[in-house]
């Protein structure tokens, strides 16, 4: 059974999936944790256990960026019983492993260290694959239709893609499908580049496995650990599934997509700070123009600045994403699936930490940030359903949400053959399936941003962010609660703001057609 917290963080539902073939074809892919990474983790664990009194933990240590300070801090890491995994000297972030329970406190006392803390509350362990549970497949006849071209020139399953029509992406493709010079990196659970709807647009030279905090560019390292690790592949298809007469179409079917794996398969598909730091730096150094971030950094749904460990997580990831921005990368992230008002004075978080035993705490979103969505310069995306109402699960907030995009809503039925309110996209093993969440809204915004970058190749991240807001359509705050929301209703969600900018939609729902005109 899929772990509830993982579904809430990544995609909220898996109602159905389609197969290109009648039978289930096993996907032969390497685990996202490669044998080399597993061996390194095990060796680090053995060495650290001998030097410390507790279980092996992962840390980020954030320092000044001059060489002398970094060298001194690296020596301090060793002196405190730790092992340096990798140093990102351009941003002053050191990833370390240590079994010394006092490691974080000792490093925070070292001159030149700005912050240091553990990236998780459970011990570090060697990576291995896990099962998320089965996906429900359609009957063979319906599945085979994914490989049959439509008479009107649309993709075979495009009739089910209400989301493309909602933002004019079907019409935009006739004007400008996007440039091959634009790459969107999907920082996620891995991307199945062998999928026939993704293969032609995939960029292996801009892909890697960053789970350990250090990039592994071994060919295929970016692929999901198993077909059950479908999240990243689904996101990639929404962005750039090719218009090739097969399956579905992406928002920007002419651009390239890369995969940077950051999810730890053990004990669940969790995403930790060291992997995200690696991903942002790798993307920046390999010519990526846009990163898609359909996740929050575990184990804290919100990282509070008055906690030294959580502050270190915010500091490390912020340094990395700001570095990416300086190198010309626009970072786009989902607002989250908790129906929280991110502009409020506070709310309850009962899901953190999600790698051990969660506790209930009151969170002030001005001091406790969802990472990376609430970091400076990041485009924050809320989700809408087929009726363009805010999705029942989507977090929101005036001054926090930049734009909205289709993310799916099971309580809003579209005018499609299946009446399925989720987002249909690619799945590992040549399959297709529906998911819903701000995870699905984010790649729609990333796809539109990729079209804008194609039309304005010299635009900076700040300019792209402004263009993304300028082309959006704002429905304005609804007169009442979001329509069509059954169980789990967001009727308690209040939309603040006006017709131009508000808490549900930010500057509005992204518009692909307007982006290319």
């Amino acid at each position: 059974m899929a772990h509830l917290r993982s579904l809430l963080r990544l995609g909220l539902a898996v109602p159905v999936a389609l197969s290109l073939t009648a039978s289930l074809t096993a996907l032969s892919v390497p685990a996202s944790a490669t044998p080399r990474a597993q061996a390194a983790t095990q060796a680090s664990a053995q060495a650290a256990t001998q030097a410390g009194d507790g279980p092996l933990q992962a840390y980020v240590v954030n320092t000044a960026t001059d060489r002398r300070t970094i060298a001194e801090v690296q020596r301090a890491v060793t002196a405190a019983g730790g092992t340096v995994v990798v140093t990102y000297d351009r941003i002053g972030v050191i990833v370390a492993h240590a079994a010394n329970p006092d490691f974080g406190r000792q490093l925070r006392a070292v001159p030149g260290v700005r912050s240091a803390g553990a990236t998780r509350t459970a011990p570090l362990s060697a990576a291995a694959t896990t099962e998320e549970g089965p996906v429900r497949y359609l009957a063979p006849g319906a599945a085979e239709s994914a490989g049959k071209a439509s008479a009107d020139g649309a993709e075979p399953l495009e009739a089910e893609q209400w989301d493309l029509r909602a933002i004019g992406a079907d019409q935009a493709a006739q004007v400008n499908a996007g440039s091959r010079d634009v790459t969107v990196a999907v920082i996620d659970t891995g991307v199945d580049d062998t999928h026939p709807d993704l293969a032609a647009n995939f960029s292996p030279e801009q892909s890697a496995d960053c789970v350990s905090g250090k990039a592994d560019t071994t060919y295929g390292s970016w692929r999901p650990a198993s077909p059950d690790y479908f999240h990243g592949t689904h996101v990639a298809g929404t962005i750039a599934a090719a218009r090739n007469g097969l399956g579905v179409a992406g928002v920007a079917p002419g651009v390239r997509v890369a995969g940077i794996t950051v999810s730890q398969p053990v004990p669940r598909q969790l995403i930790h700070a060291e992997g995200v730091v690696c991903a942002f730096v790798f993307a920046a150094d390999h010519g990526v123009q846009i990163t898609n971030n359909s996740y929050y950094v575990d184990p804290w749904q919100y990282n509070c600045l008055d906690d030294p460990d959580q502050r270190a997580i915010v500091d490390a990831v912020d340094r990395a994403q700001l570095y990416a921005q300086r190198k010309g990368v626009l970072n786009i992230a989902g607002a989250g699936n908790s129906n929280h008002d991110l502009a409020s004075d506070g709310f309850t978080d009962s899901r953190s930490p999600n790698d051990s035993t969660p506790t209930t705490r009151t969170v002030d979103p001005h001091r406790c940030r969802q990472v990376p969505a609430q970091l400076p310069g990041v485009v924050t995306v809320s989700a809408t359903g087929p009726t363009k109402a805010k999705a029942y699960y989507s977090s929101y907030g005036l001054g926090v949400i930049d734009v909205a995009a289709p993310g799916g809503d099971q309580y809003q039925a579209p005018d499609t053959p299946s009446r399925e309110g989720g987002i249909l996209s690619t799945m590992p093993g040549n399959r297709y399936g529906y998911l819903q969440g701000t995870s699905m809204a984010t790649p729609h915004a990333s796809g539109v941003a990729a079209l804008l970058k194609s039309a304005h190749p010299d635009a900076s991240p700040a300019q792209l962010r402004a263009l993304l807001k300028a082309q959006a359509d704002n429905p304005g705050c609804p007169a009442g609660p979001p329509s069509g929301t059954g169980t789990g209703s967001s009727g308690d969600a209040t939309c603040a703001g006006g017709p131009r900018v508000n808490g549900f939609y930010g500057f509005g729902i992204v518009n692909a057609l307007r982006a290319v005109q």
Side-chain angles (χ1 to χ4, degrees), residues 5 23 38 129 163 397:
R5 296 186 209 126
S23 62
Q38 292 181 16
T129 60
D163 50 309

Side-chain angles (χ1 to χ4, degrees), residues 50-387:
Q50 295 172 359
D53 301 316
L56 185 67
Q57 259 294 11
Y59 292 84
V60 283
V61 182
N62 305 303
T63 78
T65 56
D66 62 282
R67 292 184 179 181
R68 179 177 178 179
T69 298
I70 289 175
E72 290 174 349
V73 174
Q74 287 173 326
R75 288 191 288 271
V77 167
T78 304
T83 302
V84 174
V85 176
V86 62
T87 299
Y88 293 102
D89 51 3
R90 283 164 290 181
I91 60 173
V93 176
I94 298 172
V95 177
H97 291 170
N100 174 6
D102 204 32
F103 182 82
R105 187 192 64 78
Q106 290 181 17
L107 265 293
R108 287 191 289 271
V110 174
V113 172
R114 306 290 172 78
S115 60
T119 64
R120 59 198 79 196
T121 62
L124 183 68
S125 58
T129 60
T130 59
E131 296 287 331
E132 276 210 356
V135 177
R136 184 164 60 89
Y137 293 96
L138 289 191
E144 288 169 357
S145 69
K148 296 178 180 178
S150 173
D152 61 2
E155 297 300 278
L157 298 176
E158 196 169 347
E160 296 288 352
Q161 292 187 274
W162 60 265
D163 50 309
L164 295 189
R165 294 184 288 280
I167 62 172
D170 54 336
Q171 299 175 66
Q174 306 305 313
V175 180
N176 183 352
S179 169
R180 301 290 291 175
D181 293 331
V182 174
T183 300
V184 181
V186 176
I187 301 176
D188 214 293
T189 62
V191 174
D192 176 14
D193 59 305
T194 69
H195 195 291
D197 249 343
L198 295 176
N201 288 343
F202 191 78
S203 176
E205 65 272 16
Q206 294 170 299
S207 301
D209 176 0
C210 270
V211 171
S212 70
K214 185 176 183 179
D216 176 5
T217 56
T218 303
Y219 193 86
S221 62
W222 52 79
R223 293 174 181 156
S226 80
D228 291 329
Y229 288 60
F230 45 73
H231 191 266
T233 302
H234 192 280
V235 166
T238 298
I239 296 168
R243 285 191 171 272
N244 55 4
L246 297 173
V248 297
V251 174
V255 306
R256 305 178 80 198
V257 67
I260 305 179
T261 304
V262 291
S263 64
Q264 179 76 29
V266 173
R268 296 176 290 277
Q269 294 183 41
L270 301 183
I271 294 173
H272 294 108
E274 60 269 29
V276 176
V277 168
C278 169
F280 280 128
V281 173
F282 182 88
D285 289 344
H286 287 78
V288 165
Q289 285 76 36
I290 298 162
T291 68
N292 185 97
N293 303 271
S294 292
Y295 61 89
Y296 67 77
V297 173
D298 298 301
W300 307 97
Q301 185 175 7
Y302 301 96
N303 289 271
C304 297
L305 300 178
D306 57 359
D307 179 277
D309 289 331
Q310 295 170 46
R311 184 183 185 90
I313 290 172
V314 174
D315 190 2
V317 176
D318 193 34
R319 288 173 181 229
Q321 72 90 15
L322 287 173
Y323 172 78
Q325 287 187 50
R326 291 193 297 271
K327 296 268 284 188
V329 182
L330 178 66
N331 303 315
I332 303 178
N337 302 331
S338 299
N339 192 30
H340 285 158
D341 183 354
L342 301 177
S344 69
D345 293 331
F347 45 77
T348 300
D349 170 23
S350 58
R351 297 175 182 163
S352 304
N354 63 6
D355 62 347
S356 54
T357 303
T359 60
T360 299
R361 59 178 183 160
T362 299
V363 168
D364 175 358
H366 303 286
R367 294 286 300 167
C368 302
R369 300 174 186 172
Q370 183 166 289
V371 176
Q374 288 180 272
L375 296 178
V378 174
V379 174
T380 307
V381 186
S382 63
T384 60
T387 68

